[in-house]
Amino acid sequence: MSDFSKDWSLDLADHSGWAMLARCPERWAELTAHPTLGPAVQHLLLDQAETQALEDARLLAADPDGEELPAELAPALSEELLHACLPALCLPELAELPNPQVTARRTLHHIAHRVRNNPRLANLAADQLHAAADALVAHGQLLSPPEKQAGNHDFDGRILRLAEDLALLSANPDHLAGACAQLACLDQPAVVSPAPSRTLIRIIDNVDPDHDRPAQLLERHYEHRRVQALAALAANPHTPHAAVTDVLDGLHPAELAWIAERADGPDWFLSAAAAVPADEDEDDGVLRLVSNDELAEHPDPAAVLQSWLDSPATGDILSRSEIYRAVVKSRHHTPEHLLQIPAVEILSRSEPEIALKILPDRCGRSTDRWAALAAAMTFEYDEEKITFGELLDSLDPAPAGAQTP
C-alpha cells in the first residue's frame, strides 16, 4: 500500500466492499484464504488495489507540500498476494452465463484490464491466461466473421478491444491471426487537417510544429487505434508474421506514417511497414481544410470545396461536422454547396445568418411553406439526416395530381 491513502471510513456508498477492505491491508492475505469471503476479496484486490494506489500517489503529488510522483510506484500487492488472488483472476463465476458472445467478450476484456493494472500477472499466470483466452474465444465464437449492422456504433470498438486483449493474453497463433484479419475489415480512417483557427492561434503560444503531420493528425480522433492494435499483435511472439503483413498492405498512408514515427514494435514489423509499396501519385491521405486566403490562390476554390464534400471523410462521424463547418464558413461556398450539407448543420451548428438569408426568400409570404418549415424543424430534418436542399424541396406542396384522395 502507498504511504498516503484516502480515509475510507466514511465512504461506504459507491464502493462499500473496497471501502471496508482498504482499511485493513494487514489482513488481506488472511482474507483471500477465507472460505466464504475469499473469492470476493480476491476480485476486489485485483480490480481496485493498484488503481487506488496510483490515485493515492497522484493526490499526494498534487498536494503543494507533497512529494513528486515517483517514476515507478511500488506495487500495491505483493507477489504472494497476487498468487493468492489467482483463483479469481479469470472470473470463473461468469463461465456459464447466457449469451456467450457478449459475456465471453466482456470477460476477456475484464481479464485484460486486470493484467494491465497488474502487469506481473502476465508472467505469474501465463498458462492460466492463455487457457482462459482460448476458452473464451471458442465459447463466444469471438472470431466469427463480423457483420456490421446499421446503427451499430460500437462495431469498430469491439473489434479493436478484442485485438488489443488477445495481443495481451493469447498465445494461440490461429486466434492472433484471426484478430489481425478482423482489423483488416475495418474502414479506413478519416484523416483531416482542420482549417486554421484565429481563436486557437491566440490561445496557444507554442503550436506543435508537427501538428500537421499525418501521424499526429491520425491521433486527433483516436483514429490510430487500429494500427496501434496491429503493432501490439506484432509484438506478441506467437502472432504469425504473414497475418500482420497482410494487414499492412491495406493500411491508410497515415497509418503507415504512424508506425514509422510512433510505433514501438519488433524490427521485422517496422521494416515490413517501411517496405509497403506506394503508388507514384499517392499522397499522404490527409484532407486539408485550408483557409479562405489559401483557397483564394486556387484557380477554382469552389471545386476544392466540392472535393471536401465528396471526400470519404464525410462518412466518418468525428470528421463530417468539421468538414461541413469549414465549407459553410468559407466565403467561397456557393448555394450548390450548401444544398448538399445536412440540414442540421446549416440550421443549428453553423452560421445562423446563412439560414436567415435563404429561408425568408424561399418561404416568402406562403403560410403553407412556413408551416411546413416549422413541422420539419421539430425533429425530421435532424433524425432523418436530410440535406438542406431536401429540406427546402419539402417546403413545396405536392402537385395536385400526386395527392392521395
Side-chain angles (χ1 to χ4, degrees):
M1 284 285 288
S2 58
D3 294 332
F4 177 88
S5 60
K6 177 178 178 179
D7 179 7
W8 291 87
S9 58
L10 299 178
D11 187 357
L12 296 177
D14 298 327
H15 302 284
S16 55
W18 172 248
M20 291 184 286
L21 191 61
R23 289 180 294 179
C24 55
E26 71 283 354
R27 296 192 61 193
W28 287 356
E30 172 193 349
L31 291 172
T32 56
H34 192 279
T36 304
L37 301 177
V41 171
Q42 294 168 26
H43 286 302
L44 282 170
L45 291 177
L46 288 171
D47 288 335
Q48 299 288 344
E50 296 294 346
T51 302
Q52 190 57 49
L54 179 59
E55 183 179 332
D56 290 346
R58 286 173 175 167
L59 286 172
L60 180 60
D63 190 314
D65 298 325
E67 301 176 359
E68 291 186 5
L69 188 67
E72 186 173 343
L73 292 175
L77 300 178
S78 67
E79 190 165 316
E80 291 75 18
L81 270 174
L82 280 180
H83 274 290
C85 292
L86 292 186
L89 172 60
C90 295
L91 302 154
E93 300 89 344
L94 306 183
E96 301 304 324
L97 287 178
N99 198 358
Q101 287 188 322
V102 174
T103 56
R105 188 183 301 275
R106 291 179 178 175
T107 300
L108 185 72
H109 190 60
H110 196 148
I111 297 170
H113 181 69
R114 288 178 166 181
V115 175
R116 293 185 182 102
N117 281 344
N118 304 273
R120 290 170 296 158
L121 289 171
N123 292 323
L124 289 176
D127 292 341
Q128 183 181 352
L129 293 170
H130 297 162
D134 283 353
L136 290 167
V137 169
H139 184 56
Q141 300 180 345
L142 301 185
L143 291 173
S144 298
E147 295 183 6
K148 188 171 186 178
Q149 305 292 331
N152 184 358
H153 301 300
D154 195 40
F155 176 82
D156 289 5
R158 286 206 313 270
I159 289 179
L160 290 169
R161 287 191 295 272
L162 178 61
E164 292 163 351
D165 295 344
L166 289 179
L168 180 64
L169 302 177
S170 181
N172 187 314
D174 292 336
H175 293 170
L176 294 165
C180 291
Q182 288 200 352
L183 290 179
C185 294
L186 296 179
D187 294 334
Q188 292 270 4
V191 188
V192 176
S193 176
S197 166
R198 292 181 181 179
T199 303
L200 288 179
I201 290 173
R202 292 195 202 105
I203 294 173
I204 301 174
D205 293 331
N206 299 313
V207 177
D208 183 353
D210 293 331
H211 74 281
D212 199 47
R213 294 180 66 82
Q216 183 89 345
L217 293 170
L218 194 69
E219 295 180 350
R220 288 180 63 236
H221 294 151
Y222 298 96
E223 296 280 6
H224 66 296
R225 281 193 62 197
R226 176 171 75 156
V227 67
Q228 187 178 50
L230 184 65
L233 287 165
N236 186 316
H238 303 282
T239 304
H241 292 192
V244 175
T245 55
D246 286 346
V247 184
L248 287 175
D249 292 335
L251 291 184
H252 188 282
E255 291 178 302
L256 293 171
W258 188 91
I259 294 175
E261 297 180 24
R262 299 279 203 273
D264 183 18
D267 290 342
W268 69 265
F269 173 65
L270 301 179
S271 298
V276 173
D279 296 332
E280 292 183 1
D281 58 347
E282 182 180 82
D283 58 19
D284 59 9
V286 175
L287 175 65
R288 289 184 164 81
L289 308 178
V290 298
S291 67
N292 277 317
D293 291 341
E294 291 174 287
L295 276 175
E297 298 176 1
H298 195 278
D300 191 352
V304 176
L305 294 181
Q306 186 61 50
S307 72
W308 296 357
L309 293 174
D310 294 338
S311 166
T314 58
D316 181 80
I317 190 170
L318 297 175
S319 301
R320 63 172 68 115
S321 288
E322 199 166 42
I323 296 170
Y324 295 144
R325 284 196 298 270
V327 173
V328 171
K329 291 184 178 182
S330 172
R331 65 172 180 260
H332 302 284
H333 71 240
T334 66
E336 287 71 23
H337 292 133
L338 300 179
L339 296 178
Q340 300 171 57
I341 295 174
V344 65
E345 297 287 345
I346 301 293
L347 295 174
S348 62
R349 296 180 187 166
S350 297
E351 304 293 328
E353 292 80 6
I354 298 291
L356 291 176
K357 290 177 182 177
I358 296 174
L359 292 176
D361 291 340
R362 184 73 174 191
C363 295
R365 297 179 178 273
S366 171
T367 56
D368 289 340
R369 285 185 176 178
W370 284 110
L373 176 63
M377 289 181 65
T378 56
F379 65 93
E380 290 182 358
Y381 78 91
D382 185 9
E383 294 189 0
E384 295 183 8
K385 305 300 181 187
I386 65 173
T387 66
F388 189 54
E390 291 170 336
L391 173 65
L392 295 181
D393 290 342
S394 72
L395 305 182
D396 293 319
Q403 293 179 356
T404 303

